[in-house]
Amino acid sequence: MPTDSLGSDKVREALRAAHLYYMQDLTMEAIAAELHTSRSSVSRLLGFARETGLVEIQVKSPADRVSSVQDRIRERFSVTAHVVPVPDNTAEVDRLERVAMSAARILGPFFDSNMTMGIAWGSTLSAVSRHLQEKVTHNSQIVQLNGASNARTTGIGYASEIMSRFGVAFGAYVQQFPVPAFFDDPHTKQVLWRERSIRRVLEIQKHMDVALFGLGSAYADVPSHVYVGGYLDDADFEQLTKSEVVGDVATVFYRADGSSEDIPMNARSTGPSLELLRKVSRRVCVVSGRSKLPALRGALAAGVMTDLIIDETTAVALLRE
């Protein structure tokens, strides 16, 4: 039976229940509490969703608020939005986990055999990596986009754990990038970038099919790892403030208008330039929480993403401003 011939209220409730059950792994008890209904009602909604074709392999959203928000984001920013329903009063850590869980499932169809995916380490991608579902691929590889060491730690354990989870999930070869997140001297970077071992990784990055990243922000409620992990000192923060930085992608900083030129820290960063990133055919950004809005607006202005996976509250707030 076509969904448009059914009661719109029931369709919306069935869609939300299906998304919570199939994409976020919530129990029926938890869904019942969130929808303020009974467990048996949730069961009937899920059955209704399956019987009417709302649920096949993926959750479909032809007539709910999430679908409307996704359409408006596409029209306004020219990106494909994947909006994750999360209640407004959800704690930010839990919000991130739910967005990360959905992102892990959404990501599956984007990556296949004979493809290369670039990964930017960080708090968001660490959360995504914990929820990945296995998908067998062949002749595929995962490449680290930016170095992870700093003056306090090699960063190898943190970054390699994230990379390894992606490699295991997709049966892909993992190419790590054993350089600092930031060089002390930009001239050192220029010299090292001429080394064959480093150039090999840089060449792999140039031929990515998919780039996956979160957005770093000094103002995020869930702290971005680059800002709290010992990568930046007081002088660096002062310089970022002077440069009017609002966020970063793979430790490459940008302003509210999306520009990244003449930001001194970028000359020392080991992440790919935004220009290089824009050449990747599919660029997937995962964002959670309204505190990331300034960073998100700047990234949208920079044109660094083709796909945006975002929680509903933040998506609605983005459209209001």
Side-chain angles (χ1 to χ4, degrees):
M1 182 183 297
T3 56
D4 56 6
S5 67
L6 301 168
S8 59
D9 288 344
K10 187 172 184 179
V11 170
R12 281 194 291 269
E13 287 296 295
L15 285 167
R16 185 169 290 269
H19 204 295
L20 296 173
Y21 187 75
Y22 292 105
M23 299 294 283
Q24 298 187 31
D25 283 352
L26 266 65
T27 64
M28 282 199 267
E29 287 80 5
I31 297 170
E34 187 161 318
L35 298 183
H36 306 292
T37 188
S38 65
R39 186 183 184 282
S40 59
S41 294
V42 171
S43 180
R44 286 194 293 272
L45 286 172
L46 293 175
F48 172 82
R50 291 189 297 269
E51 293 165 3
T52 57
L54 297 178
V55 172
E56 294 176 346
I57 296 175
Q58 298 178 348
V59 177
K60 299 182 178 181
S61 304
D64 66 337
R65 182 190 184 200
V66 165
S67 181
S68 173
V69 171
Q70 291 175 163
D71 290 343
R72 289 165 61 196
I73 290 176
R74 182 185 299 109
E75 292 170 3
R76 182 167 169 183
F77 300 105
S78 298
V79 300
T80 299
H82 309 265
V83 177
V84 180
V86 182
D88 291 345
N89 61 353
T90 303
E92 290 307 310
V93 172
D94 294 333
R95 181 183 303 276
L96 172 59
E97 283 298 310
R98 288 174 63 162
V99 170
M101 184 179 293
S102 290
R105 280 129 174 96
I106 293 167
L107 181 65
F110 295 170
F111 187 66
D112 216 323
S113 298
N114 304 308
M115 294 179 70
T116 297
M117 177 162 57
I119 301 291
W121 54 260
S123 302
T124 299
L125 268 292
S126 178
V128 173
S129 72
R130 292 194 294 270
H131 298 290
L132 292 169
Q133 295 181 320
E134 291 190 5
K135 176 181 180 178
V136 178
T137 66
H138 305 283
N139 192 36
S140 60
Q141 60 182 335
I142 306 293
V143 62
Q144 184 177 330
L145 291 183
N146 51 324
S149 67
N150 59 39
R152 301 180 186 178
T153 174
T154 64
I156 292 175
Y158 179 77
S160 65
E161 184 176 29
I162 296 172
M163 301 291 293
S164 295
R165 287 171 181 161
F166 277 90
V168 170
F170 293 108
Y173 173 74
V174 173
Q175 177 60 66
Q176 296 184 337
F177 198 21
V179 295
F182 302 99
F183 286 100
D184 292 333
D185 187 333
H187 296 294
T188 306
K189 172 184 172 180
Q190 294 171 15
V191 171
L192 192 58
W193 256 222
R194 293 199 293 267
E195 290 293 322
R196 285 179 296 174
S197 61
I198 300 300
R199 280 164 46 198
R200 182 179 62 83
V201 179
L202 297 175
E203 283 299 314
I204 295 173
Q205 293 178 359
K206 288 180 182 178
H207 296 90
M208 288 182 289
D209 300 286
V210 181
L212 178 65
F213 53 88
L215 299 179
S217 171
Y219 312 104
D221 291 335
V222 178
S224 298
H225 192 70
V226 70
Y227 296 92
V228 297
Y231 291 90
L232 305 170
D233 57 26
D234 290 342
D236 294 330
F237 279 110
E238 183 178 346
Q239 192 176 80
L240 293 177
T241 300
K242 185 177 180 180
S243 298
E244 300 181 323
V245 164
V246 297
D248 76 273
V249 173
T251 61
V252 174
F253 301 95
Y254 54 85
R255 305 179 182 89
D257 63 0
S259 64
S260 58
E261 298 79 13
D262 303 322
I263 296 177
M265 285 292 294
N266 288 342
R268 296 165 44 204
S269 171
T270 55
S273 69
L274 301 190
E275 180 182 4
L276 187 152
L277 196 60
R278 283 189 286 264
K279 294 179 181 178
V280 181
S281 58
R282 174 157 253 156
R283 310 179 300 275
V284 185
C285 177
V286 184
V287 176
S288 170
R290 294 182 61 171
S291 60
K292 287 284 185 79
L293 279 172
L296 175 56
R297 292 191 209 100
L300 287 166
V304 295
M305 68 189 77
T306 59
D307 292 78
L308 172 63
I309 302 173
I310 184 173
D311 66 279
E312 184 178 3
T313 300
T314 306
V316 170
L318 174 66
L319 290 169
R320 285 175 178 164
E321 300 182 10

